[in-house]
Amino acid sequence: MLGYIIRRILAVIPVMTIVAVFVFLLLRLTPGDPAAIIAGDMATPAQLERIRTSLGLSDPLHEQFITWVGLLLQGELGTSLISNTPVTQMIGQRIWPTVNIAVLTIILSILIAVPMGVLAAWRHRTWVDYVVMAFSVLGFSIPVFVIGYLFIQTFSIELRWLPVQGYIAPSEDFSKFLSRAILPCLTLATIYVALIARMTRASMLEVLGEDYIRTARAKGVKETVVLFRHALRNAAVPIMTIIGTGFALLIGGVVVTESVFNIPGIGRLTVDAILARDYPVIQGMILLTSGLYVFINLVIDLSYTFFDPRIRY
């Protein structure tokens, strides 16, 4: 086990190196000039050149890359070209709304989707199974912004139960935080419930046909124990993978949902940085997202030994 953990951690180094080089070159070689955005439409060529020089954009690509890597090795992601604010500070200000929404969404999705998937597998080819599968298809088919606007129209405008938009940190007022987080969490959970429920159903159907499940039932073990202790645990490997990947996607920023509900999160920060050609912010966000994917995949792989005792490293 220890050797496996060390190998996986060492494998992160080449992966993140490739990501860093790819992102740096991609941003520098695509059209667009941050100096033109900063200076405005009326700027002269001389003014643009002075701005590029002050930002270090006139240096050769290899020198820019070496400077950026040096900052990374010091734990810095650089400074925003537009606001002159450290990228780490900008991410720190925006990441907690995204994290809070992501955690609530995943918890809500698991609490709803896993029992739905188990029930659909248990009642395979009955109306319960068909209803769950129909919901899964709808959850994948309807765009997330349409779901968001439907929830706003129903619960905020017509029923007046919840606020339309905005975000309040849970440390300031937890009740107001929940009232503003319910709609975006429900919007995102619609997609993830469909995904997790479908995967849970497929995994459970495969496990429920195993010999040890029939043996447990023949011994008179309660059906709930068979389903949730024996079957679900052995079906948990692909379910955990989907949950982990979904959580990484949410942390990476859900642009449309954050825009619809006016949440100052990572997704909106990324979009603003792309529109402004703010290279350090874009690079920092992509590295953060890539690192989260690698870390979450490592955690999921290590958790396999708990959920499936047949797996050993």
Side-chain angles (χ1 to χ4, degrees):
M1 174 65 75
L2 181 59
Y4 172 75
I5 295 175
I6 294 175
R7 290 195 302 270
R8 287 304 307 270
I9 293 175
L10 292 177
V12 172
I13 299 175
V15 171
M16 297 304 297
T17 301
I18 294 173
V19 170
V21 173
F22 177 78
V23 170
F24 181 86
L25 293 177
L26 180 65
L27 292 177
R28 295 313 193 277
L29 297 177
T30 51
D33 187 359
I37 297 175
I38 295 173
D41 297 333
M42 304 302 293
T44 63
Q47 291 173 330
L48 292 176
E49 186 60 31
R50 284 197 297 270
I51 293 175
R52 293 191 192 100
T53 302
S54 65
L55 296 176
L57 299 177
S58 297
D59 298 336
L61 282 180
H62 69 277
E63 293 184 9
Q64 295 184 44
F65 182 73
I66 292 173
T67 301
W68 181 53
V69 171
L71 291 173
L72 288 179
L73 294 177
Q74 299 174 26
E76 298 290 338
L77 295 175
T79 303
S80 170
L81 302 180
I82 306 301
S83 64
N84 201 32
T85 304
V87 175
T88 52
Q89 180 179 336
M90 297 178 68
I91 294 176
Q93 293 171 348
R94 295 292 195 96
I95 195 170
W96 287 113
T98 299
V99 169
N100 292 331
I101 296 298
V103 170
L104 286 179
T105 299
I106 285 296
I107 292 175
L108 183 63
S109 300
I110 294 172
L111 292 177
I112 297 174
V114 172
M116 281 178 58
V118 172
L119 184 61
W122 183 43
R123 296 301 185 188
H124 183 45
R125 293 181 179 177
T126 65
W127 67 269
V128 176
D129 187 20
Y130 297 143
V131 169
V132 172
M133 293 304 297
F135 175 81
S136 298
V137 172
L138 287 176
F140 284 123
S141 303
I142 303 176
V144 65
F145 70 90
V146 174
I147 299 173
Y149 284 126
L150 286 175
F151 283 160
I152 290 175
Q153 178 67 30
T154 302
F155 297 105
S156 298
I157 297 177
E158 295 184 2
L159 298 177
R160 300 181 182 275
W161 287 355
L162 299 168
V164 177
Q165 293 178 330
Y167 176 83
I168 293 179
S171 58
E172 296 179 10
D173 192 319
F174 189 73
S175 61
K176 290 183 178 180
F177 161 73
L178 285 179
S179 66
R180 285 163 171 77
I182 288 175
L183 288 185
C185 288
L186 285 176
T187 302
L188 293 170
T190 302
I191 300 173
Y192 288 99
V193 165
L195 179 62
I196 297 172
R198 192 180 185 92
M199 180 57 68
T200 303
R201 173 186 176 274
S203 300
M204 288 290 294
L205 283 176
E206 182 178 350
V207 171
L208 288 176
E210 296 291 338
D211 291 338
Y212 64 88
I213 296 295
R214 288 192 290 268
T215 301
R217 285 172 170 166
K219 290 181 176 180
V221 178
K222 292 183 179 180
E223 193 67 15
T224 54
V225 175
V226 172
L227 290 174
F228 289 96
R229 179 179 298 177
H230 298 289
L232 183 58
R233 179 173 180 178
N234 289 284
V237 171
I239 300 171
M240 288 295 299
T241 303
I242 291 295
I243 292 173
T245 304
F247 186 69
L249 285 171
L250 290 170
I251 295 295
V254 186
V255 177
V256 175
T257 305
E258 290 182 358
S259 300
V260 169
F261 292 98
N262 194 26
I263 299 172
I266 291 295
R268 289 183 60 189
L269 175 62
T270 305
V271 171
D272 294 341
I274 292 173
L275 295 176
R277 306 293 299 174
D278 199 342
Y279 296 148
V281 177
I282 301 172
Q283 292 167 173
M285 290 305 309
I286 295 178
L287 283 178
L288 172 66
T289 305
S290 302
L292 282 171
Y293 270 103
V294 172
F295 174 75
I296 289 175
N297 283 327
L298 176 60
V299 172
I300 292 172
D301 287 347
L302 296 179
S303 69
Y304 287 171
T305 57
F306 173 77
F307 288 102
D308 192 345
R310 297 169 296 179
I311 300 177
R312 289 291 183 268
Y313 299 102

